[in-house]
Amino acid sequence: MLVDSHCHLNFPELLENLPAIKQAMQENKVGHALCISVTLPDFPQVLALAETNDNFYASVGVHPDYEDIDEPSVDELLKLADHPKIIAIGETGLDYFRLTGDLEWQRTRFRTHIRAAIACGKPLVIHTRSSAEDTLRIMREENAQQVGGVMHCFTENLDVALQAIELGFYISFSGIVTFKNALTIKEVAMQVPLDKMLVETDSPYLAPMPYRGKTNQPSYVKHVAEEIARLRGISLEEVSEATTNNFFRLFRHAVAN
């Protein structure tokens, strides 16, 4: 079985097709999915997916791309995270690609999420784009290694990956690794230790080859795993077993509770 470690099944284009998506997961041996929160107003819908599907889990957090919204507090995140199907804090982090100018609010929001994760003992789901240096710096300053987590949809170089691994984080690969010109990501996928790797779709975005440009879904995580297996010269079964074990090792305390 595979696990889709990051998807947005509450987004309309997926939610309205949920029965077919669940059937496709079963047919492609994708056993579990982590549904990711990006805003607090949408959080109840994310939680409902986890509550009504035994093989779905959820996170709570506010994505760094959302500007001019009410900032979450540590106490607010802790209150929402106090649920057995909430196994992670995030998606959080920094994004200097989509937004420019004074982004101190992003850094403050990131610190809030790290503090909440440490307080409740649940791992972080971190987004970083064009911001690796500041992301790693804040992770160190806020002692994110106390809870660890995952660098989701990883698009940085091997050095950044290894620094994150040193802090107790896993590296998650999306459909980008299947893109022909994604040479840096392919190199990282070949070099990262197999016991520090996860796979994801980031559905409905970033559909892998041969579905690039179409709506992504959790069953397509199989194509991500197949490409990693090809790059490393190992079997799909080996990648599936490793990444699934890694997922449940990372989230073991949250899942157990």
Side-chain angles (χ1 to χ4, degrees):
M1 283 286 181
L2 283 158
V3 175
D4 182 357
S5 67
H6 193 113
C7 58
H8 302 282
L9 295 182
N10 64 304
F11 285 21
E13 58 266 52
L14 296 177
L15 191 60
E16 64 189 15
N17 293 307
L18 194 59
I21 286 170
K22 290 169 64 177
Q23 179 64 31
M25 288 176 65
Q26 184 176 5
E27 292 171 356
N28 287 276
K29 298 183 178 179
V30 181
H32 296 83
L34 175 52
C35 302
I36 300 295
S37 166
V38 294
T39 70
L40 295 189
D42 289 341
F43 170 73
Q45 199 173 45
V46 177
L47 177 59
L49 283 164
E51 288 181 321
T52 55
N53 295 275
D54 290 343
N55 60 331
F56 290 173
Y57 299 101
S59 74
V60 59
V62 180
H63 194 288
D65 280 355
Y66 289 87
E67 193 174 6
D68 298 325
I69 60 173
D70 291 338
E71 287 297 331
S73 66
V74 171
D75 287 344
E76 189 172 14
L77 290 171
L78 289 176
K79 182 179 179 181
L80 296 174
D82 187 19
H83 187 286
K85 294 303 289 282
I86 302 301
I87 65 171
I89 302 296
E91 169 176 2
T92 185
L94 303 176
D95 193 317
Y96 297 170
F97 180 82
R98 293 188 180 92
L99 298 173
T100 58
D102 183 1
L103 298 179
E104 184 59 28
W105 60 269
Q106 269 195 9
R107 294 183 283 274
T108 298
R109 184 185 295 173
F110 187 23
R111 292 181 190 275
T112 296
H113 282 75
I114 297 174
R115 293 169 189 175
I118 292 171
C120 69
K122 296 187 178 184
L124 287 151
V125 176
I126 293 182
H127 169 111
T128 182
R129 190 172 185 190
S130 302
S131 56
E133 183 177 352
D134 277 359
T135 299
L136 290 166
R137 174 178 59 81
I138 291 173
M139 288 166 66
R140 292 189 180 100
E141 289 174 357
E142 296 292 336
N143 297 308
Q145 69 274 10
Q146 291 185 23
V147 289
V150 53
M151 308 299 286
H152 114 86
C153 191
F154 193 79
T155 55
E156 303 294 335
N157 60 33
L158 181 60
D159 178 63
V160 173
L162 294 177
Q163 289 185 63
I165 288 170
E166 286 181 4
L167 291 171
F169 282 73
Y170 290 72
I171 307 301
S172 183
F173 296 93
S174 69
I176 294 174
V177 77
T178 70
F179 299 171
K180 185 176 180 180
N181 61 349
L183 300 181
T184 298
I185 311 306
K186 292 178 186 291
E187 178 189 1
V188 176
M190 288 188 284
Q191 297 296 324
V192 163
L194 195 58
D195 65 355
K196 295 297 181 182
M197 180 183 297
L198 298 178
V199 289
E200 65 171 88
T201 60
D202 203 11
S203 310
Y205 310 115
L206 301 174
M209 300 297 292
Y211 301 103
R212 187 173 183 180
K214 302 187 183 208
T215 300
N216 204 359
Q217 59 175 293
S219 64
Y220 293 170
V221 78
K222 179 180 179 181
H223 297 280
V224 178
E226 286 175 339
E227 176 63 8
I228 292 170
R230 186 191 71 80
L231 290 167
R232 297 177 74 102
I234 59 178
S235 67
L236 172 62
E237 289 73 21
E238 190 171 351
V239 174
S240 299
E241 181 178 8
T243 55
T244 297
N245 288 341
N246 293 344
F247 179 88
F248 286 104
R249 185 182 306 116
L250 172 60
F251 297 109
R252 64 188 181 278
H253 297 304
V255 169
N257 292 330

